[in-house]
Amino acid sequence: MKRSYVIKRIVYAVFIFFVVLTLNFFIPRIGVQDPAERYYPPQGGMSTIEYEIIKQFTREQYGFDVSTFQQYVRYLQGLLRLDLGTSLRSGSPKVTTLIAQRLPWTLVLSVSTLVISLVIGLLCGTLAAWKRGRWQDTLLLNASTISVALPSFFIALMLSFYLGFRLELFPAYTNPNMVAQFDWGWGAIRMVFTNAALPIMSMSLGGIIGYSQITRNSVIAVTNEDYVITARAKGLPQATVLYKHVLRNALLPLATSIGMNIGGLIGGAIIIEQVFNWQGMGTLFLEANSTKDYPLMMGIMLFLSAFAILANLVTELLYVILDPRVTVGDKR
Amino acid sequence: MADTVLEVRNLKVAFPCSGGVIRAVEGIDLDIHRGECAALVGESGCGKSVSALAIMKLLNTPPAVCRADKLQLDDLDLTHLPDRQMERIRGKHMAMIFQDAMTALNPVMTVGKQIDEIYLRHSRLSRREARQRTIKALELVGVPEARSRANSYPHQLSGGMRQRVLIALAFACVPKLIIADEPTTALDVTIQAQVLDVLKNMQQVHGVSALLIAHDLSVVANMADTVYVMYSGKIVERAAMQELFVEPLHPYTHGLLASVPRISDDRQPFVQIPDAVPHPMRKPTGCYFHPRCPRSSDQCQQRMPRLESLDHEREVRCWHPLRQPHEVRS
Ligand SMILES: Nc1ncnc2c1ncn2[C@@H]1O[C@H](COP(=O)(O)OP(=O)(O)OP(=O)(O)O)[C@@H](O)[C@H]1O
Ligand code: SF4
Ligand SMILES: [Mg+2]
């Protein structure tokens, strides 16, 4: 039954999310050091009593004054109110506020990267499969060999240097002061062709080649299936066979890999964002890391995990529409 | 002959691959008359499917290399027909039924849609009309509740039903020729008989010529008029079904017949032809069958015999057939 499959997937996703948030809570607490001491190391010229008062005050402020279990309950209660806690930076901003501020910037990069790599990857992969063994195919093979050897930050640096500084085609970095004023709508679209162009290019390259490879291999595998011969035996023209019988089946493995990539896409932006001084989630995470801002780090981690789990769930549910066989049970 | 629906002359198929060339089909001739059912019989790997695909011009070239002196379907000369025009003939004038209906049907498309496609391609019908034809076609091959079954996906049907769908698909445009490549090997024995009945019935009702491919004679016994016995890429014997059963002439055919278990005949034990088919890249010299043949002589090991006619309608490729050409039967 379709519905039982859908329910099963959703329950499973919720379960995984629960496991993740629990780990996310407990792992940072494995450290034996008193967090208050970590934030305020003992300084000279302060009496023991004064220091104890400060530590106690700090514990209360950050919620370490109760048992770990109580902290866990509080953490869960906070989550229910969509509250990820308070950052340690000055002004004590809410973690959710910080994430909300940076998220659109990362979304611009990752959504356009996904769309661009999918569209180009599909076209190139199908072409390579169609022209199997000819130069188009060989080109793809060589390109993927090279791209495996080139890390994405290297590509980012090269693009930034040549297209950004030398040719001045696109801005090579972004002014950090722009963060607060994200403009949904035309502003975001214009950004794709200006400030975001180089980061998107650097991030897309690997995706284009990855999706091309998957598409190529899966199209070739499907081309040899019996039902494709049946379709040709019916007298259908080549293009119809490719479009109606080959691609529809060849896209199934692609759907799975998209689901797995979406989660990584936001995380993968960390390095690229650094290269272009892009004020997204990646940069936020690195900032949190260098200032030992644990609530912020935990918040970002949890958010990214939730995003990845959600992306996987969506692809799994998409499968129900794409592949009628899924309804029989868990066939994969 | 005006009454010949399929005429194949000297059909050859080779697959060049690393380490040599696989000569899968080495110059076969076939003649199938109107309304006739011919059978192509031989062990696994002897080149039956490749021949069928070559006749349909469905082999991918490359890798395959196909040659034929003549390939004629009724009044259509297909010998040098370009691919674009073959597309108009496949499905309409010649159709094929594949071995395994599970893999031969697209898993993500309803069976109805897959049959609709062939009507939409070859006749000017609207989608509605095409679907009506599809339902009729499914009813003809004995699919119950055809209207709702048409909306099922292949995996939702039983093996027998799927094979019926393939038969409906092949007969959709009432072609001149149907090639059925081991249409029942993927099925249970009881279902096999039912599906063969449907096939035979459809073939006779529509007066369609058929080429039925099988690896043993028991499957074709009730259906075929003429039998071509194939061994390692070559035709080794051709005869009318009745005559072949009464008196096989080629030692290989004899072995094939002896390996068919017969209920009435318990005098002879179940006979198996020893050893296996030669590897297609390392075929023996002389007669390909000599390493396994009980009658083989020195001559057999050196020279390949020709396909000689005996009587009027029989041919055999053997130096020492079970009956010599000059022996006249009463
Ligand atoms: N695409 C291919 N590339 C290389 N060799 C091939 C290819 N297709 C078939 N062959 C070879 O051609 C020979 C004949 O194969 P074919 O499929 O026609 O056998 P068959 O008589 O149909 O056997 P079966 O009863 O198993 O279906 C085999 O030896 C096979 O290895
Ligand atoms: S030619 Fe010789 S080896 Fe070949 S089948 Fe006849 S008797 Fe046997
Ligand atoms: Mg076969």
Side-chain angles (χ1 to χ4, degrees):
Chain A
M1 261 297 284
K2 249 178 207 191
R3 193 181 311 149
S4 71
Y5 173 81
V6 171
I7 291 174
K8 215 154 120 193
R9 288 290 120 193
I10 292 177
V11 168
Y12 185 67
V14 170
F15 171 72
I16 291 285
F17 180 66
F18 188 73
V19 170
V20 166
L21 72 85
T22 305
L23 286 178
N24 194 41
F25 174 83
F26 281 105
I27 288 177
R29 282 170 174 74
I30 291 175
V32 282
Q33 196 184 2
D34 185 344
E37 259 172 54
R38 194 177 182 112
Y39 296 139
Y40 294 106
Q43 283 163 352
M46 193 187 279
S47 72
T48 327
I49 298 179
E50 270 175 334
Y51 186 51
E52 276 307 321
I53 292 174
I54 286 183
K55 281 206 289 189
Q56 189 53 33
F57 179 77
T58 316
R59 286 194 198 106
E60 273 167 28
Q61 187 183 357
Y62 294 108
F64 289 113
D65 52 336
V66 292
S67 73
T68 312
F69 180 73
Q70 275 171 308
Q71 289 174 32
Y72 182 58
V73 172
R74 264 191 212 167
Y75 172 72
L76 291 183
Q77 284 168 339
L79 280 183
L80 285 179
R81 280 178 277 116
L82 293 181
D83 181 1
L84 290 175
T86 312
S87 163
L88 302 184
R89 24 175 98 184
S90 62
S92 302
K94 284 275 173 204
V95 168
T96 40
T97 317
L98 289 174
I99 290 179
Q101 206 175 41
R102 303 295 190 94
L103 183 64
W105 296 85
T106 293
L107 277 184
V108 167
L109 294 195
S110 35
V111 170
S112 5
T113 299
L114 184 67
V115 171
I116 290 173
S117 24
L118 256 184
V119 170
I120 302 185
L122 260 176
L123 291 176
C124 292
T126 312
L127 183 77
W130 193 253
K131 305 275 181 190
R132 187 180 177 184
R134 316 244 196 102
W135 66 266
Q136 293 94 332
D137 193 17
T138 320
L139 184 71
L140 175 64
L141 186 70
N142 291 334
S144 45
T145 316
I146 295 172
S147 89
V148 168
L150 288 182
S152 65
F153 72 83
F154 181 76
I155 295 171
L157 285 173
M158 297 306 275
L159 286 179
S160 147
F161 183 70
Y162 283 103
L163 299 187
F165 289 110
R166 274 285 174 79
L167 301 175
E168 296 185 5
L169 286 176
F170 303 102
Y173 73 95
T174 321
N175 182 356
N177 296 332
M178 286 167 67
V179 178
Q181 16 167 330
F182 187 86
D183 174 13
W184 295 94
W186 285 114
I189 293 175
R190 198 174 329 115
M191 205 190 309
V192 171
F193 296 96
T194 55
N195 286 319
L198 290 181
I200 291 173
M201 279 186 221
S202 328
M203 284 169 67
S204 302
L205 205 68
I208 290 177
I209 288 176
Y211 288 133
S212 302
Q213 279 284 326
I214 297 171
T215 310
R216 175 203 177 264
N217 293 342
S218 133
V219 165
I220 285 180
V222 171
T223 309
N224 291 326
E225 292 281 348
D226 285 353
Y227 55 81
V228 175
I229 305 182
T230 309
R232 290 206 293 138
K234 288 195 282 194
L236 299 180
Q238 293 248 334
T240 315
V241 174
L242 179 71
Y243 173 70
K244 281 206 172 165
H245 294 270
V246 177
L247 280 185
R248 178 79 195 277
N249 283 284
L251 292 189
L252 292 177
L254 202 65
T256 319
S257 84
I258 295 172
M260 296 198 295
N261 287 355
I262 287 180
L265 212 50
I266 291 192
I270 292 182
I271 295 167
I272 302 292
E273 284 185 0
Q274 278 306 100
V275 173
F276 294 98
N277 199 17
W278 190 261
Q279 300 298 307
M281 299 276 285
T283 312
L284 185 66
F285 184 77
L286 287 185
E287 284 166 17
N289 186 48
S290 59
T291 56
K292 300 253 181 315
D293 190 344
Y294 281 103
L296 185 53
M297 277 163 73
M298 280 166 61
I300 297 175
M301 296 280 243
L302 191 67
F303 180 81
L304 291 185
S305 321
F307 198 84
I309 292 170
L310 193 68
N312 261 320
L313 180 66
V314 169
T315 20
E316 266 163 355
L317 298 185
L318 248 167
Y319 236 90
V320 179
I321 303 169
L322 286 176
D323 189 346
R325 284 167 297 182
V326 167
T327 57
V328 192
D330 282 356
K331 267 194 92 172
R332 283 170 305 130
Chain B
M1 210 186 298
D3 213 27
T4 304
V5 170
L6 180 74
E7 188 180 345
V8 178
R9 287 288 167 270
N10 198 19
L11 175 70
K12 293 182 178 174
V13 182
F15 296 96
C17 48
S18 57
V21 175
I22 293 179
R23 281 175 297 148
V25 180
E26 299 188 31
I28 63 170
D29 297 347
L30 298 173
D31 286 278
I32 303 177
H33 304 303
R34 199 171 304 281
E36 182 188 34
C37 175
L40 186 60
V41 177
E43 281 165 296
S44 187
C46 70
K48 305 177 302 278
S49 300
V50 171
S51 308
L53 291 172
I55 293 169
M56 295 284 291
K57 294 210 166 186
L58 279 172
L59 282 173
N60 286 323
T61 50
V65 182
C66 286
R67 289 281 134 64
D69 292 349
K70 190 171 186 189
L71 190 59
Q72 177 116 13
L73 181 73
D74 208 7
D75 50 357
L76 300 159
D77 185 2
L78 311 181
T79 322
H80 302 293
L81 206 66
D83 221 42
R84 268 288 151 76
Q85 284 165 39
M86 260 325 278
E87 284 168 3
R88 293 178 197 288
I89 287 167
R90 283 198 287 260
K92 186 170 190 187
H93 297 305
M94 62 201 305
M96 192 154 171
I97 301 171
F98 294 92
Q99 177 171 337
D100 184 356
M102 185 69 226
T103 59
L105 289 170
N106 188 340
V108 301
M109 201 188 244
T110 61
V111 293
K113 265 201 184 140
Q114 297 187 51
I115 306 179
D116 291 349
E117 267 189 333
I118 196 165
Y119 289 117
L120 293 170
R121 165 72 176 149
H122 295 294
S123 44
R124 292 176 192 281
L125 292 177
S126 68
R127 278 179 187 282
R128 284 257 310 272
E129 293 165 325
R131 178 48 63 97
Q132 266 152 16
R133 291 273 200 97
T134 297
I135 291 166
K136 229 176 245 153
L138 285 174
E139 278 165 356
L140 268 182
V141 292
V143 174
E145 295 162 53
R147 189 172 293 274
S148 60
R149 289 288 169 87
N151 290 322
S152 315
Y153 288 95
H155 71 268
Q156 293 168 329
L157 300 179
S158 68
M161 283 304 141
R162 280 196 291 266
Q163 203 65 43
R164 281 166 208 252
V165 169
L166 273 195
I167 295 175
L169 198 66
F171 281 94
C173 293
V174 191
K176 300 172 196 290
L177 174 76
I178 294 256
I179 301 178
D181 188 356
E182 309 198 28
T184 58
T185 29
L187 303 175
D188 294 343
V189 188
T190 44
I191 314 286
Q192 270 187 14
Q194 290 173 17
V195 169
L196 277 179
D197 274 349
V198 171
L199 187 59
K200 184 179 178 183
N201 187 32
M202 291 290 283
Q203 188 236 334
Q204 283 169 354
V205 167
H206 292 100
V208 173
S209 311
L211 177 63
L212 179 62
I213 294 174
H215 59 247
D216 71 68
L217 282 158
S218 60
V219 176
V220 301
N222 293 319
M223 223 182 131
D225 305 306
T226 314
V227 180
Y228 291 86
V229 180
M230 195 167 179
Y231 187 79
S232 195
K234 283 184 180 285
I235 301 291
V236 294
E237 179 163 10
R238 176 173 73 94
M241 187 75 229
Q242 299 306 325
E243 292 185 43
L244 194 87
F245 258 92
V246 174
E247 188 189 28
L249 294 184
H250 196 280
Y252 177 61
T253 317
H254 184 76
L256 271 185
L257 272 176
S259 64
V260 175
R262 274 186 258 190
I263 301 165
S264 58
D265 181 6
D266 51 9
R267 279 167 293 140
Q268 280 180 325
F270 186 80
V271 184
Q272 196 93 56
I273 309 174
D275 304 328
V277 209
H279 187 276
M281 235 187 287
R282 289 186 298 275
K283 294 187 180 179
T285 56
C287 172
Y288 292 157
F289 190 53
H290 86 248
R292 302 166 74 187
C293 181
R295 302 169 75 90
S296 117
S297 66
D298 284 352
Q299 188 184 20
C300 302
Q301 290 174 26
Q302 269 136 38
R303 287 173 49 217
M304 167 67 80
R306 290 183 16 178
L307 193 62
E308 308 267 12
S309 3
L310 263 94
D311 311 341
H312 47 290
E313 275 296 287
R314 296 197 68 163
E315 286 177 322
V316 62
R317 184 192 293 278
C318 179
W319 294 121
H320 316 291
L322 276 70
R323 170 166 61 84
Q324 291 302 320
H326 57 265
E327 293 174 31
V328 181
R329 264 192 313 158
S330 57

